[in-house]
DNA sequence: TCGAATTTGTGCGTATGTATC
DNA sequence: GGATACATACGCACAAATTCG
């Protein structure tokens, strides 16, 4: 049948109705979606239309096909929350550990630093330094109960930390402390943090480290710590979007 | 030809190679992608495989078909920022307008309210009310220079605003003001806001309203305003992730 | 100006392989 | 082993839009 001008294509019609049935609770999570043949009969279309409609819902993450078995409504993943409250850094210490323990999971992380790394342009702009300036780059993998939940790549100009005991975040007297404490110990008082939150498909390297499929959306946060004068640290933080929300909380009305 | 076990399907192979050519610069933004017939000849597959491969890349937002003309590599959009600073709501007024003007664009919005809507479970949990309680639901479409940039669906319990002049956000003496001002005028002092930021593929209805392809990632924010006692408003905010970052800024170190 | 060719978008029927029950 | 279901793949057809001679 040729598409009819002026109304949505058949596969969109079927997808929309299936979505309505799923979101409306008629087809709860875990339940089996009618097979292609059944859908074709129900809606008076060919099985290829059922297929196309199901592909749309699969791309939306609503359903999941299991060959030979059937197509099922995906479980509404219990969203974990990563809290980034306004008061978070005010207390010092490493934010991630406290957050994770508060949710009853055991935090952990691995990190590795590289020194005198020439800073790439995108990072140089954020740190307000010249392209190629030497920096300390530190790669983190954060885990909760042993499973990776967050990646972070941190950049600090050698001009700031060079020759100090806190040159490498994982060494020295303040190992494991947050950026705020480390910077304060060498005379840089951090007064604000800016987080730019975006979302994009996971790169191959990120997907591997996080144990997810390539191309699934991740939440990408560009975080920059500022003293009164200048940015002193910036980091690219990557979180699998499917499992996590990032929660910001701040006060209102104190004027 | 039947799929060969152990290696990726033909349409994935074609999609992967096309993606490589696009990201590698061989096919720059704006350039024309080979037609279905050309691709089929190039890769030795049927035109349906070309079609399926192109559908994958379309879903990823890399290419865009123009009927009768061809398929083109999409322009890499410039990333705009939506600022949600800690001090934002402290000043009153509508946050979106000021933010947008600050970036040199003309803000606008349409809204429509519906009354005595029984609240669905997901929203009831956030508002800490019983499922089915009557609420005012308001749908917003926010625009910058006439182009839609943000959707929002707001929920307010009738138990809070019923019988007051600010029942509908777009009517009354404080039309166009922010939630904080409207609530204060009826004796509810908002003291904090919580925003849970996630990312997921766009639903069809959202993609249509935002003018993006279905399935492209959107940033989904669940925002809830709290008085000292209870949540009084919650909203689902949807922003195309491709074009926007959401920026949070807050102070550090005042302890 | 008009019509033919091209291209995308949509839709149907069929065949085959593999997984599950 | 057989029935069912999903995933992949091909060939064909047609409508609408664009392009070009």
């Amino acid at each position: 049948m040729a598409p009819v001008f002026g109304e949505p294509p058949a596969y969109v019609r079927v997808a929309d109705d299936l979505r309505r049935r799923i979101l409306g609770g008629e087809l709860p999570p875990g339940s089996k979606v009618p097979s292609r043949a059944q859908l074709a009969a129900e809606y008076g279309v060919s099985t290829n239309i059922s297929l196309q409609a199901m592909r749309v819902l699969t791309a939306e993450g609503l359903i999941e096909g299991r060959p030979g078995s059937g197509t099922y409504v995906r479980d509404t993943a219990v969203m974990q929350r990563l809290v980034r409250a306004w008061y978070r850094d005010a207390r010092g210490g490493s934010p991630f550990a406290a957050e994770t323990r508060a949710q009853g999971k055991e935090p952990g992380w691995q990190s590795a630093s590289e020194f005198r790394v020439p800073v790439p342009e995108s990072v140089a702009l954020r740190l307000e330094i010249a392209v190629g300036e030497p920096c300390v780059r530190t790669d983190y993998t954060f885990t909760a109960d042993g499973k990776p939940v967050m990646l972070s790549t941190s950049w600090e100009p050698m001009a700031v930390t060079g020759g100090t005991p806190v040159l490498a975040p994982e060494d020295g007297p303040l190992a494991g402390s947050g950026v705020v404490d480390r910077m304060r110990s060498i005379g840089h008082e951090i007064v604000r943090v800016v987080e730019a939150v975006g979302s994009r498909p996971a790169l191959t390297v990120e997907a591997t480290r996080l144990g997810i499929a390539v191309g699934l959306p991740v939440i990408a946060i560009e975080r920059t710590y500022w003293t009164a004068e200048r940015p002193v640290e910036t980091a690219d933080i990557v979180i699998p979007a499917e499992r996590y929300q990032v929660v910001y909380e701040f006060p209102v009305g104190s004027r």
Side-chain angles (χ1 to χ4, degrees), chain A:
Chain A
M1 211 183 311
V4 181
F5 185 74
E7 52 181 82
Y11 75 95
V12 172
R13 211 169 39 79
V14 176
D16 284 351
D17 194 62
L18 265 184
R19 190 186 303 106
R20 184 190 55 75
R21 288 163 71 179
I22 292 170
L23 297 180
E26 188 183 332
L27 293 168
S31 66
K32 191 185 231 172
V33 177
S35 73
R36 296 216 285 248
Q38 289 171 326
L39 285 181
E42 268 187 58
Y43 293 96
V45 294
S46 76
T47 59
N48 275 15
I49 295 300
S50 324
L51 171 59
Q52 267 186 82
M54 295 230 223
R55 268 208 274 254
V56 170
L57 299 188
T58 302
E60 291 177 9
L62 279 177
I63 62 177
E64 183 183 25
R66 288 206 277 277
S69 173
T71 304
Y72 301 84
V73 179
R74 285 185 60 186
D75 281 320
T76 315
V78 179
M79 273 298 186
Q80 296 293 321
R81 296 184 151 211
L82 291 174
V83 178
R84 309 185 79 80
W86 65 277
Y87 49 75
R88 181 191 55 161
D89 289 295
R91 310 222 179 109
S94 169
F96 176 77
E99 288 168 20
T100 307
R101 281 212 191 81
Q103 298 198 13
K105 293 173 186 291
E106 191 52 32
W109 65 90
Q110 299 91 48
S111 67
S113 293
E114 198 171 335
F115 305 95
R116 279 176 294 283
V117 180
V119 66
E121 188 184 355
S122 58
V123 175
L125 286 171
R126 280 149 58 182
L127 288 174
E128 295 184 358
I129 58 179
V131 177
E133 282 264 308
C135 282
V136 178
R137 188 191 63 209
T138 308
D139 285 306
Y140 297 86
T141 303
F142 293 93
T143 59
D145 285 347
K147 279 176 287 193
V149 297
M150 184 166 79
L151 306 177
S152 175
T153 302
S154 151
W155 297 83
E156 294 173 358
M158 299 277 298
V160 171
T161 57
T164 75
V166 297
L167 174 62
E170 63 266 46
D171 289 334
L174 293 173
S177 297
V179 176
V180 176
D181 286 339
R182 288 178 47 249
M183 288 293 171
R184 182 183 293 121
S185 76
I186 58 171
H188 292 277
E189 191 71 26
I190 289 175
V191 297
R192 68 189 174 108
V193 56
V194 178
E195 303 206 353
V197 185
S199 173
R200 54 173 175 75
L203 306 177
T204 306
V205 57
E206 296 164 344
T208 305
R209 286 171 66 192
L210 287 172
I212 61 174
V214 178
L216 282 185
V218 293
I219 298 171
I221 305 176
E222 297 171 12
R223 181 199 62 196
T224 305
Y225 281 109
W226 290 72
T227 65
E229 294 83 32
R230 57 167 294 180
V232 291
E233 193 255 15
T234 192
D236 287 295
I237 300 168
V238 175
I239 301 162
E242 197 179 34
R243 286 176 297 182
Y244 287 89
Q245 282 181 323
V246 182
V247 178
Y248 293 90
E249 175 180 338
F250 32 97
V252 168
S254 53
R255 58 174 180 183

